[in-house]
Amino acid sequence: AQKITQTQPGMFVQEKEAVTLDCTYDTSDPSYGLFWYKQPSSGEMIFLIYQGSYDQQNATEGRYSLNFQKARKSANLVISASQLGDSAMYFCAMREGGSNYKLTFGKGTLLTVNP
Amino acid sequence: GAGVSQTPSNKVTEKGKYVELRCDPISGHTALYWYRQSLGQGPEFLIYFQGTGAADDSGLPNDRFFAVRPEGSVSTLKIQRTERGDSAVYLCASSLSLAGGPGDTQYFGPGTRLTVL
């Protein structure tokens, strides 16, 4: 089974509207971290937001928020007030606890923001 | 401050040749990671270092791949006898710690695009 599943290969949103990018994960480890990265066409992976498995509240960073539903094993990224510069690939990733610190990434979602 | 830097940004080589890819992490970051990203895929883990030692090299595809970090800062990924299937973007990342939590957020460099002809 895939550890990170992003079911939306592509998404479109109008400028200034909100958009939700889906991510589900699979782990039996009680301690884990979830990350979202943005990858513009230039190629660099840009860290957006982090959610720890024991965090009681959903993470927020400016226009980004993470809708963390632990029982459903989902960690959806919400981008509010979309901007043209938000057009990029978005990757969800997981770090499982213990001695394993590598990130496992999903296949990504290509977001296009329309003017 | 400076982010993670990688050189070269692009490398074109012929099948069978040897290549070295360099990564300079964020100053003060103790952990360093290498990933490989094929077209249309998310990055896949190759190896990570805590200090000078390779703490986990389970992602290296075979013994043609090797990485070093002799002084605990700059790292070099070495690929011997390159094959066309090695063509990908090689990403390096570093993190402040391995303590768990947001402190181990990995920050990525711009990558090296390797093309094997």
Side-chain angles (χ1 to χ4, degrees), chain B residues 25-31 95-96:
Chain B
I26 294 172
S27 178
H29 279 196
T30 59
S95 67
L96 186 60

Side-chain angles (χ1 to χ4, degrees), chain A residues 37 39 50 95 101 103 107, chain B residues 35 37 41 98 104 106:
Chain A
Y37 287 86
Q39 189 174 43
Y50 163 85
R95 174 196 54 75
Y101 292 96
L103 290 178
K107 291 183 181 295
Chain B
Y35 293 82
Q37 187 175 22
Q41 303 294 319
L98 290 175
D104 66 1
Q106 296 178 28

Side-chain angles (χ1 to χ4, degrees), chain B:
Chain B
V4 178
S5 62
Q6 293 185 247
T7 55
S9 54
N10 280 284
K11 177 70 177 178
V12 179
T13 191
E14 293 180 345
K15 180 174 176 297
K17 298 289 189 183
Y18 168 82
V19 296
E20 290 190 351
L21 311 179
R22 175 188 166 109
C23 171
D24 202 338
I26 294 172
S27 178
H29 279 196
T30 59
L32 184 146
Y33 312 78
W34 285 98
Y35 293 82
R36 179 167 72 173
Q37 187 175 22
S38 301
L39 196 62
Q41 303 294 319
E44 293 180 321
F45 169 79
L46 295 176
I47 185 172
Y48 87 77
F49 291 86
Q50 171 63 7
T52 59
D56 182 351
D57 63 358
S58 62
L60 294 178
N62 51 60
D63 61 6
R64 295 186 298 105
F65 289 75
F66 189 71
V68 295
R69 194 186 185 198
E71 297 179 357
S73 179
V74 171
S75 176
T76 305
L77 178 66
K78 308 180 181 195
I79 310 174
Q80 298 178 321
R81 304 182 304 280
T82 52
E83 300 177 356
R84 293 194 180 88
D86 298 336
S87 296
V89 176
Y90 290 81
L91 295 166
C92 177
S94 68
S95 67
L96 186 60
S97 71
L98 290 175
D104 66 1
T105 295
Q106 296 178 28
Y107 296 91
F108 284 79
T112 294
R113 181 175 299 278
L114 176 66
T115 303
V116 182
L117 301 177

